[in-house]
mmCIF file of all heavy atoms in Angstrom:
data_model
loop_
_atom_site.group_PDB
_atom_site.id
_atom_site.type_symbol
_atom_site.label_atom_id
_atom_site.label_comp_id
_atom_site.label_asym_id
_atom_site.label_seq_id
_atom_site.Cartn_x
_atom_site.Cartn_y
_atom_site.Cartn_z
ATOM 1 N N VAL A 33 3.377 -22.144 -2.429
ATOM 2 C CA VAL A 33 2.850 -22.158 -3.808
ATOM 3 C C VAL A 33 1.721 -21.213 -3.949
ATOM 4 O O VAL A 33 1.584 -20.407 -4.916
ATOM 5 C CB VAL A 33 2.439 -23.593 -4.233
ATOM 6 C CG1 VAL A 33 1.664 -23.588 -5.550
ATOM 7 C CG2 VAL A 33 3.630 -24.498 -4.330
ATOM 8 N N ARG A 34 0.778 -21.181 -2.994
ATOM 9 C CA ARG A 34 -0.418 -20.337 -3.059
ATOM 10 C C ARG A 34 0.013 -18.836 -3.052
ATOM 11 O O ARG A 34 -0.542 -18.033 -3.750
ATOM 12 C CB ARG A 34 -1.370 -20.591 -1.917
ATOM 13 C CG ARG A 34 -1.944 -22.005 -1.955
ATOM 14 C CD ARG A 34 -3.227 -22.113 -1.132
ATOM 15 N NE ARG A 34 -3.093 -21.700 0.250
ATOM 16 C CZ ARG A 34 -2.639 -22.506 1.222
ATOM 17 N NH1 ARG A 34 -2.252 -23.737 0.933
ATOM 18 N NH2 ARG A 34 -2.558 -22.072 2.465
ATOM 19 N N LEU A 35 1.034 -18.562 -2.276
ATOM 20 C CA LEU A 35 1.439 -17.163 -2.140
ATOM 21 C C LEU A 35 2.247 -16.638 -3.341
ATOM 22 O O LEU A 35 2.246 -15.460 -3.642
ATOM 23 C CB LEU A 35 2.287 -16.945 -0.846
ATOM 24 C CG LEU A 35 1.519 -17.150 0.463
ATOM 25 C CD1 LEU A 35 2.456 -16.956 1.650
ATOM 26 C CD2 LEU A 35 0.352 -16.219 0.585
ATOM 27 N N LEU A 36 2.932 -17.565 -4.000
ATOM 28 C CA LEU A 36 3.806 -17.205 -5.157
ATOM 29 C C LEU A 36 3.152 -17.436 -6.495
ATOM 30 O O LEU A 36 3.613 -16.908 -7.476
ATOM 31 C CB LEU A 36 5.110 -17.953 -5.060
ATOM 32 C CG LEU A 36 5.980 -17.629 -3.825
ATOM 33 C CD1 LEU A 36 7.178 -18.540 -3.785
ATOM 34 C CD2 LEU A 36 6.391 -16.182 -3.774
ATOM 35 N N SER A 37 2.094 -18.247 -6.531
ATOM 36 C CA SER A 37 1.470 -18.655 -7.815
ATOM 37 C C SER A 37 0.853 -17.437 -8.507
ATOM 38 O O SER A 37 0.342 -16.530 -7.878
ATOM 39 C CB SER A 37 0.495 -19.746 -7.594
ATOM 40 O OG SER A 37 -0.176 -20.056 -8.821
ATOM 41 N N ARG A 38 0.889 -17.527 -9.854
ATOM 42 C CA ARG A 38 0.202 -16.524 -10.656
ATOM 43 C C ARG A 38 -1.168 -17.013 -11.158
ATOM 44 O O ARG A 38 -1.835 -16.299 -11.970
ATOM 45 C CB ARG A 38 1.066 -16.118 -11.844
ATOM 46 C CG ARG A 38 2.382 -15.435 -11.397
ATOM 47 C CD ARG A 38 3.241 -15.124 -12.608
ATOM 48 N NE ARG A 38 2.626 -14.199 -13.555
ATOM 49 C CZ ARG A 38 3.052 -13.919 -14.737
ATOM 50 N NH1 ARG A 38 4.185 -14.471 -15.173
ATOM 51 N NH2 ARG A 38 2.408 -13.081 -15.541
ATOM 52 N N LYS A 39 -1.536 -18.210 -10.752
ATOM 53 C CA LYS A 39 -2.847 -18.734 -11.171
ATOM 54 C C LYS A 39 -3.937 -17.738 -10.721
ATOM 55 O O LYS A 39 -3.908 -17.229 -9.601
ATOM 56 C CB LYS A 39 -3.099 -20.097 -10.580
ATOM 57 C CG LYS A 39 -2.280 -21.244 -11.238
ATOM 58 C CD LYS A 39 -2.664 -22.558 -10.627
ATOM 59 C CE LYS A 39 -1.849 -23.688 -11.292
ATOM 60 N NZ LYS A 39 -2.199 -23.858 -12.708
ATOM 61 N N ASN A 40 -4.911 -17.535 -11.549
ATOM 62 C CA ASN A 40 -5.898 -16.495 -11.307
ATOM 63 C C ASN A 40 -6.682 -16.708 -9.986
ATOM 64 O O ASN A 40 -6.849 -15.751 -9.208
ATOM 65 C CB ASN A 40 -6.865 -16.412 -12.475
ATOM 66 C CG ASN A 40 -7.821 -15.213 -12.356
ATOM 67 O OD1 ASN A 40 -7.358 -14.092 -12.175
ATOM 68 N ND2 ASN A 40 -9.083 -15.472 -12.489
ATOM 69 N N PHE A 41 -7.094 -17.953 -9.726
ATOM 70 C CA PHE A 41 -7.944 -18.150 -8.524
ATOM 71 C C PHE A 41 -7.096 -17.976 -7.253
ATOM 72 O O PHE A 41 -7.633 -17.581 -6.203
ATOM 73 C CB PHE A 41 -8.635 -19.494 -8.565
ATOM 74 C CG PHE A 41 -7.761 -20.703 -8.292
ATOM 75 C CD1 PHE A 41 -7.758 -21.312 -7.044
ATOM 76 C CD2 PHE A 41 -7.009 -21.329 -9.285
ATOM 77 C CE1 PHE A 41 -6.953 -22.421 -6.781
ATOM 78 C CE2 PHE A 41 -6.226 -22.386 -9.031
ATOM 79 C CZ PHE A 41 -6.212 -22.972 -7.778
ATOM 80 N N LEU A 42 -5.811 -18.268 -7.296
ATOM 81 C CA LEU A 42 -4.954 -18.030 -6.149
ATOM 82 C C LEU A 42 -4.606 -16.559 -5.964
ATOM 83 O O LEU A 42 -4.500 -15.998 -4.867
ATOM 84 C CB LEU A 42 -3.656 -18.852 -6.217
ATOM 85 C CG LEU A 42 -3.920 -20.397 -6.185
ATOM 86 C CD1 LEU A 42 -2.593 -21.138 -6.467
ATOM 87 C CD2 LEU A 42 -4.513 -20.845 -4.878
ATOM 88 N N ARG A 43 -4.450 -15.917 -7.103
ATOM 89 C CA ARG A 43 -4.210 -14.475 -7.083
ATOM 90 C C ARG A 43 -5.429 -13.712 -6.470
ATOM 91 O O ARG A 43 -5.267 -12.782 -5.704
ATOM 92 C CB ARG A 43 -3.930 -13.930 -8.483
ATOM 93 C CG ARG A 43 -3.593 -12.409 -8.550
ATOM 94 C CD ARG A 43 -3.493 -11.991 -10.012
ATOM 95 N NE ARG A 43 -4.690 -12.224 -10.765
ATOM 96 C CZ ARG A 43 -5.777 -11.454 -10.696
ATOM 97 N NH1 ARG A 43 -5.772 -10.383 -9.912
ATOM 98 N NH2 ARG A 43 -6.820 -11.722 -11.382
ATOM 99 N N LYS A 44 -6.625 -14.150 -6.808
ATOM 100 C CA LYS A 44 -7.813 -13.496 -6.290
ATOM 101 C C LYS A 44 -7.875 -13.677 -4.764
ATOM 102 O O LYS A 44 -8.384 -12.753 -4.078
ATOM 103 C CB LYS A 44 -9.083 -14.122 -6.926
ATOM 104 C CG LYS A 44 -9.314 -13.699 -8.379
ATOM 105 C CD LYS A 44 -10.751 -13.925 -8.779
ATOM 106 C CE LYS A 44 -11.161 -15.400 -8.749
ATOM 107 N NZ LYS A 44 -12.517 -15.601 -9.285
ATOM 108 N N ALA A 45 -7.448 -14.834 -4.284
ATOM 109 C CA ALA A 45 -7.436 -15.023 -2.787
ATOM 110 C C ALA A 45 -6.524 -14.000 -2.117
ATOM 111 O O ALA A 45 -6.847 -13.447 -1.068
ATOM 112 C CB ALA A 45 -6.968 -16.411 -2.464
ATOM 113 N N LYS A 46 -5.344 -13.711 -2.725
ATOM 114 C CA LYS A 46 -4.405 -12.764 -2.139
ATOM 115 C C LYS A 46 -4.976 -11.338 -2.204
ATOM 116 O O LYS A 46 -4.863 -10.582 -1.286
ATOM 117 C CB LYS A 46 -3.075 -12.857 -2.852
ATOM 118 C CG LYS A 46 -2.329 -14.146 -2.537
ATOM 119 C CD LYS A 46 -0.997 -14.273 -3.306
ATOM 120 C CE LYS A 46 -1.232 -14.606 -4.751
ATOM 121 N NZ LYS A 46 0.040 -14.919 -5.467
ATOM 122 N N VAL A 47 -5.603 -11.025 -3.358
ATOM 123 C CA VAL A 47 -6.212 -9.709 -3.500
ATOM 124 C C VAL A 47 -7.335 -9.495 -2.495
ATOM 125 O O VAL A 47 -7.434 -8.462 -1.868
ATOM 126 C CB VAL A 47 -6.758 -9.568 -4.959
ATOM 127 C CG1 VAL A 47 -7.622 -8.277 -5.044
ATOM 128 C CG2 VAL A 47 -5.576 -9.485 -5.927
ATOM 129 N N HIS A 48 -8.169 -10.571 -2.298
ATOM 130 C CA HIS A 48 -9.299 -10.445 -1.370
ATOM 131 C C HIS A 48 -8.744 -10.249 0.087
ATOM 132 O O HIS A 48 -9.303 -9.460 0.821
ATOM 133 C CB HIS A 48 -10.105 -11.718 -1.442
ATOM 134 C CG HIS A 48 -11.308 -11.704 -0.556
ATOM 135 N ND1 HIS A 48 -12.426 -10.878 -0.772
ATOM 136 C CD2 HIS A 48 -11.608 -12.386 0.594
ATOM 137 C CE1 HIS A 48 -13.318 -11.079 0.169
ATOM 138 N NE2 HIS A 48 -12.829 -11.952 1.031
ATOM 139 N N LEU A 49 -7.668 -10.985 0.430
ATOM 140 C CA LEU A 49 -7.126 -10.763 1.779
ATOM 141 C C LEU A 49 -6.566 -9.366 1.953
ATOM 142 O O LEU A 49 -6.815 -8.703 2.956
ATOM 143 C CB LEU A 49 -6.000 -11.836 1.976
ATOM 144 C CG LEU A 49 -5.217 -11.683 3.295
ATOM 145 C CD1 LEU A 49 -6.166 -11.775 4.506
ATOM 146 C CD2 LEU A 49 -4.124 -12.756 3.364
ATOM 147 N N ARG A 50 -5.861 -8.863 0.953
ATOM 148 C CA ARG A 50 -5.294 -7.500 1.061
ATOM 149 C C ARG A 50 -6.474 -6.497 1.192
ATOM 150 O O ARG A 50 -6.325 -5.551 1.983
ATOM 151 C CB ARG A 50 -4.460 -7.215 -0.171
ATOM 152 C CG ARG A 50 -3.775 -5.840 -0.122
ATOM 153 C CD ARG A 50 -2.685 -5.718 -1.159
ATOM 154 N NE ARG A 50 -3.229 -5.843 -2.520
ATOM 155 C CZ ARG A 50 -3.003 -6.905 -3.344
ATOM 156 N NH1 ARG A 50 -2.233 -7.897 -2.919
ATOM 157 N NH2 ARG A 50 -3.474 -6.892 -4.533
ATOM 158 N N GLN A 51 -7.485 -6.623 0.437
ATOM 159 C CA GLN A 51 -8.615 -5.708 0.477
ATOM 160 C C GLN A 51 -9.258 -5.657 1.878
ATOM 161 O O GLN A 51 -9.615 -4.628 2.396
ATOM 162 C CB GLN A 51 -9.630 -6.032 -0.631
ATOM 163 C CG GLN A 51 -9.159 -5.776 -2.031
ATOM 164 C CD GLN A 51 -10.154 -6.251 -3.082
ATOM 165 O OE1 GLN A 51 -10.920 -7.165 -2.808
ATOM 166 N NE2 GLN A 51 -10.034 -5.719 -4.281
ATOM 167 N N ASN A 52 -9.421 -6.889 2.444
ATOM 168 C CA ASN A 52 -10.089 -6.978 3.745
ATOM 169 C C ASN A 52 -9.183 -6.470 4.836
ATOM 170 O O ASN A 52 -9.683 -5.961 5.862
ATOM 171 C CB ASN A 52 -10.587 -8.377 3.980
ATOM 172 C CG ASN A 52 -11.919 -8.667 3.327
ATOM 173 O OD1 ASN A 52 -12.975 -8.497 3.929
ATOM 174 N ND2 ASN A 52 -11.929 -9.033 2.046
ATOM 175 N N LEU A 53 -7.884 -6.712 4.689
ATOM 176 C CA LEU A 53 -6.939 -6.156 5.676
ATOM 177 C C LEU A 53 -7.039 -4.637 5.700
ATOM 178 O O LEU A 53 -7.089 -4.019 6.808
ATOM 179 C CB LEU A 53 -5.544 -6.621 5.370
ATOM 180 C CG LEU A 53 -4.432 -6.109 6.291
ATOM 181 C CD1 LEU A 53 -4.698 -6.505 7.773
ATOM 182 C CD2 LEU A 53 -3.055 -6.621 5.845
ATOM 183 N N ILE A 54 -7.005 -4.034 4.548
ATOM 184 C CA ILE A 54 -7.094 -2.555 4.425
ATOM 185 C C ILE A 54 -8.423 -2.094 4.985
ATOM 186 O O ILE A 54 -8.508 -1.100 5.742
ATOM 187 C CB ILE A 54 -6.903 -2.089 2.978
ATOM 188 C CG1 ILE A 54 -5.492 -2.429 2.495
ATOM 189 C CG2 ILE A 54 -7.227 -0.638 2.837
ATOM 190 C CD1 ILE A 54 -5.273 -2.191 1.016
ATOM 191 N N ALA A 55 -9.531 -2.810 4.602
ATOM 192 C CA ALA A 55 -10.887 -2.403 5.122
ATOM 193 C C ALA A 55 -10.939 -2.505 6.652
ATOM 194 O O ALA A 55 -11.560 -1.635 7.273
ATOM 195 C CB ALA A 55 -11.911 -3.293 4.424
ATOM 196 N N THR A 56 -10.318 -3.536 7.194
ATOM 197 C CA THR A 56 -10.353 -3.697 8.640
ATOM 198 C C THR A 56 -9.552 -2.570 9.356
ATOM 199 O O THR A 56 -10.023 -2.004 10.349
ATOM 200 C CB THR A 56 -9.728 -5.061 9.053
ATOM 201 O OG1 THR A 56 -10.504 -6.105 8.461
ATOM 202 C CG2 THR A 56 -9.718 -5.238 10.565
ATOM 203 N N LEU A 57 -8.424 -2.233 8.782
ATOM 204 C CA LEU A 57 -7.613 -1.137 9.330
ATOM 205 C C LEU A 57 -8.359 0.188 9.279
ATOM 206 O O LEU A 57 -8.181 1.092 10.146
ATOM 207 C CB LEU A 57 -6.259 -1.042 8.613
ATOM 208 C CG LEU A 57 -5.337 -2.210 8.838
ATOM 209 C CD1 LEU A 57 -4.085 -2.125 7.961
ATOM 210 C CD2 LEU A 57 -4.910 -2.370 10.297
ATOM 211 N N LYS A 58 -9.218 0.355 8.269
ATOM 212 C CA LYS A 58 -9.970 1.568 8.131
ATOM 213 C C LYS A 58 -11.260 1.553 8.977
ATOM 214 O O LYS A 58 -11.958 2.570 9.019
ATOM 215 C CB LYS A 58 -10.374 1.791 6.654
ATOM 216 C CG LYS A 58 -9.179 2.172 5.761
ATOM 217 C CD LYS A 58 -9.651 2.392 4.325
ATOM 218 C CE LYS A 58 -8.498 2.816 3.460
ATOM 219 N NZ LYS A 58 -8.987 3.037 2.023
ATOM 220 N N GLY A 59 -11.541 0.402 9.604
ATOM 221 C CA GLY A 59 -12.733 0.279 10.412
ATOM 222 C C GLY A 59 -13.981 0.147 9.638
ATOM 223 O O GLY A 59 -15.089 0.423 10.182
ATOM 224 N N GLU A 60 -13.927 -0.329 8.403
ATOM 225 C CA GLU A 60 -15.119 -0.503 7.584
ATOM 226 C C GLU A 60 -15.954 -1.656 8.104
ATOM 227 O O GLU A 60 -15.413 -2.747 8.382
ATOM 228 C CB GLU A 60 -14.709 -0.722 6.131
ATOM 229 C CG GLU A 60 -14.024 0.468 5.523
ATOM 230 C CD GLU A 60 -13.627 0.229 4.055
ATOM 231 O OE1 GLU A 60 -14.032 -0.787 3.501
ATOM 232 O OE2 GLU A 60 -12.921 1.111 3.482
ATOM 233 N N PRO A 61 -17.261 -1.458 8.304
ATOM 234 C CA PRO A 61 -18.085 -2.462 8.982
ATOM 235 C C PRO A 61 -18.310 -3.766 8.184
ATOM 236 O O PRO A 61 -18.567 -4.820 8.770
ATOM 237 C CB PRO A 61 -19.435 -1.733 9.120
ATOM 238 C CG PRO A 61 -19.443 -0.667 8.068
ATOM 239 C CD PRO A 61 -18.010 -0.237 7.942
ATOM 240 N N ASP A 62 -18.095 -3.690 6.856
ATOM 241 C CA ASP A 62 -18.367 -4.899 6.045
ATOM 242 C C ASP A 62 -17.121 -5.805 5.896
ATOM 243 O O ASP A 62 -17.161 -6.817 5.257
ATOM 244 C CB ASP A 62 -18.835 -4.528 4.650
ATOM 245 C CG ASP A 62 -20.235 -3.864 4.675
ATOM 246 O OD1 ASP A 62 -20.982 -4.173 5.636
ATOM 247 O OD2 ASP A 62 -20.546 -3.083 3.807
ATOM 248 N N ALA A 63 -16.013 -5.410 6.447
ATOM 249 C CA ALA A 63 -14.781 -6.236 6.339
ATOM 250 C C ALA A 63 -14.948 -7.578 7.016
ATOM 251 O O ALA A 63 -15.578 -7.619 8.089
ATOM 252 C CB ALA A 63 -13.614 -5.441 6.934
ATOM 253 N N ASN A 64 -14.405 -8.608 6.430
ATOM 254 C CA ASN A 64 -14.424 -9.916 7.053
ATOM 255 C C ASN A 64 -13.060 -10.543 6.959
ATOM 256 O O ASN A 64 -12.778 -11.413 6.088
ATOM 257 C CB ASN A 64 -15.495 -10.801 6.309
ATOM 258 C CG ASN A 64 -15.736 -12.101 7.069
ATOM 259 O OD1 ASN A 64 -14.935 -12.528 7.941
ATOM 260 N ND2 ASN A 64 -16.819 -12.760 6.764
ATOM 261 N N LEU A 65 -12.138 -10.038 7.799
ATOM 262 C CA LEU A 65 -10.777 -10.467 7.703
ATOM 263 C C LEU A 65 -10.579 -11.941 8.081
ATOM 264 O O LEU A 65 -9.748 -12.622 7.537
ATOM 265 C CB LEU A 65 -9.934 -9.560 8.620
ATOM 266 C CG LEU A 65 -8.417 -9.814 8.566
ATOM 267 C CD1 LEU A 65 -7.878 -9.599 7.175
ATOM 268 C CD2 LEU A 65 -7.697 -8.885 9.567
ATOM 269 N N ASP A 66 -11.419 -12.402 9.025
ATOM 270 C CA ASP A 66 -11.293 -13.814 9.430
ATOM 271 C C ASP A 66 -11.481 -14.721 8.287
ATOM 272 O O ASP A 66 -10.706 -15.725 7.988
ATOM 273 C CB ASP A 66 -12.251 -14.153 10.549
ATOM 274 C CG ASP A 66 -11.846 -13.549 11.867
ATOM 275 O OD1 ASP A 66 -10.702 -13.079 11.999
ATOM 276 O OD2 ASP A 66 -12.706 -13.469 12.807
ATOM 277 N N TRP A 67 -12.577 -14.501 7.500
ATOM 278 C CA TRP A 67 -12.873 -15.378 6.376
ATOM 279 C C TRP A 67 -11.784 -15.238 5.298
ATOM 280 O O TRP A 67 -11.322 -16.225 4.728
ATOM 281 C CB TRP A 67 -14.271 -15.009 5.747
ATOM 282 C CG TRP A 67 -14.740 -15.994 4.738
ATOM 283 C CD1 TRP A 67 -15.568 -17.085 4.987
ATOM 284 C CD2 TRP A 67 -14.437 -16.094 3.355
ATOM 285 N NE1 TRP A 67 -15.781 -17.812 3.882
ATOM 286 C CE2 TRP A 67 -15.080 -17.185 2.855
ATOM 287 C CE3 TRP A 67 -13.637 -15.313 2.496
ATOM 288 C CZ2 TRP A 67 -14.985 -17.573 1.487
ATOM 289 C CZ3 TRP A 67 -13.490 -15.711 1.181
ATOM 290 C CH2 TRP A 67 -14.198 -16.813 0.671
ATOM 291 N N ALA A 68 -11.359 -14.017 5.055
ATOM 292 C CA ALA A 68 -10.328 -13.804 4.037
ATOM 293 C C ALA A 68 -9.026 -14.470 4.408
ATOM 294 O O ALA A 68 -8.359 -15.070 3.506
ATOM 295 C CB ALA A 68 -10.107 -12.296 3.836
ATOM 296 N N MET A 69 -8.641 -14.465 5.651
ATOM 297 C CA MET A 69 -7.411 -15.145 6.059
ATOM 298 C C MET A 69 -7.556 -16.643 5.973
ATOM 299 O O MET A 69 -6.613 -17.320 5.508
ATOM 300 C CB MET A 69 -7.069 -14.725 7.513
ATOM 301 C CG MET A 69 -6.617 -13.285 7.689
ATOM 302 S SD MET A 69 -6.204 -12.856 9.378
ATOM 303 C CE MET A 69 -4.740 -13.924 9.664
ATOM 304 N N ARG A 70 -8.699 -17.169 6.367
ATOM 305 C CA ARG A 70 -8.901 -18.615 6.303
ATOM 306 C C ARG A 70 -8.873 -19.065 4.830
ATOM 307 O O ARG A 70 -8.266 -20.061 4.463
ATOM 308 C CB ARG A 70 -10.272 -18.957 6.905
ATOM 309 C CG ARG A 70 -10.545 -20.444 6.967
ATOM 310 C CD ARG A 70 -11.921 -20.769 7.533
ATOM 311 N NE ARG A 70 -12.140 -20.105 8.781
ATOM 312 C CZ ARG A 70 -13.073 -19.197 9.032
ATOM 313 N NH1 ARG A 70 -13.894 -18.850 8.026
ATOM 314 N NH2 ARG A 70 -13.221 -18.676 10.217
ATOM 315 N N TYR A 71 -9.530 -18.276 3.982
ATOM 316 C CA TYR A 71 -9.566 -18.628 2.552
ATOM 317 C C TYR A 71 -8.188 -18.577 1.898
ATOM 318 O O TYR A 71 -7.817 -19.477 1.139
ATOM 319 C CB TYR A 71 -10.559 -17.622 1.860
ATOM 320 C CG TYR A 71 -10.546 -17.711 0.376
ATOM 321 C CD1 TYR A 71 -10.661 -18.895 -0.364
ATOM 322 C CD2 TYR A 71 -10.379 -16.525 -0.409
ATOM 323 C CE1 TYR A 71 -10.689 -18.936 -1.720
ATOM 324 C CE2 TYR A 71 -10.408 -16.551 -1.806
ATOM 325 C CZ TYR A 71 -10.522 -17.764 -2.445
ATOM 326 O OH TYR A 71 -10.520 -17.819 -3.802
ATOM 327 N N CYS A 72 -7.429 -17.534 2.182
ATOM 328 C CA CYS A 72 -6.139 -17.405 1.514
ATOM 329 C C CYS A 72 -5.015 -18.214 2.120
ATOM 330 O O CYS A 72 -4.208 -18.807 1.438
ATOM 331 C CB CYS A 72 -5.733 -15.895 1.537
ATOM 332 S SG CYS A 72 -4.195 -15.552 0.639
ATOM 333 N N LEU A 73 -4.979 -18.295 3.452
ATOM 334 C CA LEU A 73 -3.832 -18.862 4.159
ATOM 335 C C LEU A 73 -4.073 -20.223 4.750
ATOM 336 O O LEU A 73 -3.091 -20.946 5.082
ATOM 337 C CB LEU A 73 -3.388 -17.901 5.291
ATOM 338 C CG LEU A 73 -3.087 -16.470 4.870
ATOM 339 C CD1 LEU A 73 -2.768 -15.627 6.082
ATOM 340 C CD2 LEU A 73 -1.949 -16.424 3.842
ATOM 341 N N GLY A 74 -5.324 -20.646 4.843
ATOM 342 C CA GLY A 74 -5.598 -21.965 5.507
ATOM 343 C C GLY A 74 -5.136 -23.140 4.714
ATOM 344 O O GLY A 74 -5.025 -23.079 3.471
ATOM 345 N N ARG A 75 -4.781 -24.215 5.406
ATOM 346 C CA ARG A 75 -4.389 -25.473 4.776
ATOM 347 C C ARG A 75 -5.578 -26.061 4.022
ATOM 348 O O ARG A 75 -6.607 -26.375 4.657
ATOM 349 C CB ARG A 75 -3.814 -26.444 5.769
ATOM 350 C CG ARG A 75 -3.317 -27.753 5.194
ATOM 351 C CD ARG A 75 -2.583 -28.520 6.270
ATOM 352 N NE ARG A 75 -2.296 -29.872 5.787
ATOM 353 C CZ ARG A 75 -3.052 -30.921 6.081
ATOM 354 N NH1 ARG A 75 -4.136 -30.784 6.842
ATOM 355 N NH2 ARG A 75 -2.765 -32.122 5.639
ATOM 356 N N ARG A 76 -5.433 -26.318 2.723
ATOM 357 C CA ARG A 76 -6.608 -26.702 1.936
ATOM 358 C C ARG A 76 -6.922 -28.205 2.119
ATOM 359 O O ARG A 76 -6.248 -29.082 1.523
ATOM 360 C CB ARG A 76 -6.366 -26.346 0.489
ATOM 361 C CG ARG A 76 -6.199 -24.858 0.306
ATOM 362 C CD ARG A 76 -6.452 -24.315 -1.073
ATOM 363 N NE ARG A 76 -6.644 -22.879 -1.008
ATOM 364 C CZ ARG A 76 -7.239 -22.174 -2.002
ATOM 365 N NH1 ARG A 76 -7.690 -22.802 -3.075
ATOM 366 N NH2 ARG A 76 -7.361 -20.881 -1.887
ATOM 367 N N THR A 77 -7.958 -28.451 2.885
ATOM 368 C CA THR A 77 -8.425 -29.773 3.199
ATOM 369 C C THR A 77 -9.915 -29.734 3.062
ATOM 370 O O THR A 77 -10.569 -28.658 2.891
ATOM 371 C CB THR A 77 -8.079 -30.223 4.609
ATOM 372 O OG1 THR A 77 -8.757 -29.342 5.523
ATOM 373 C CG2 THR A 77 -6.580 -30.152 4.860
ATOM 374 N N ASP A 78 -10.594 -30.901 3.118
ATOM 375 C CA ASP A 78 -12.020 -30.970 3.068
ATOM 376 C C ASP A 78 -12.634 -30.152 4.226
ATOM 377 O O ASP A 78 -13.630 -29.452 4.088
ATOM 378 C CB ASP A 78 -12.536 -32.432 3.128
ATOM 379 C CG ASP A 78 -12.213 -33.175 1.866
ATOM 380 O OD1 ASP A 78 -11.880 -32.559 0.838
ATOM 381 O OD2 ASP A 78 -12.282 -34.422 1.918
#
């Protein structure tokens, strides 16, 4: 649902992950792929 949903806050999570993946591949120092993956793909629990 999170990956297919068009809800704005879920869409932002996917955009953020894509941006950080690209930034990591480019070697940009401010990239935080771990956080972006946890935020977008992690099982949503407390």
Side-chain angles (χ1 to χ4, degrees):
V33 169
R34 297 200 304 276
L35 294 178
L36 297 175
S37 175
R38 297 177 60 189
K39 287 183 179 294
N40 187 52
F41 75 98
L42 296 174
R43 183 185 59 80
K44 286 198 300 184
K46 291 177 284 188
V47 170
H48 183 70
L49 176 57
R50 183 167 62 250
Q51 289 173 339
N52 276 268
L53 178 58
I54 293 171
T56 299
L57 293 174
K58 289 182 177 180
E60 296 180 7
D62 293 334
N64 190 344
L65 185 59
D66 287 345
W67 192 94
M69 291 182 64
R70 185 183 307 117
Y71 170 50
C72 183
L73 304 176
R75 181 170 170 266
R76 298 202 164 198
T77 64
D78 292 343

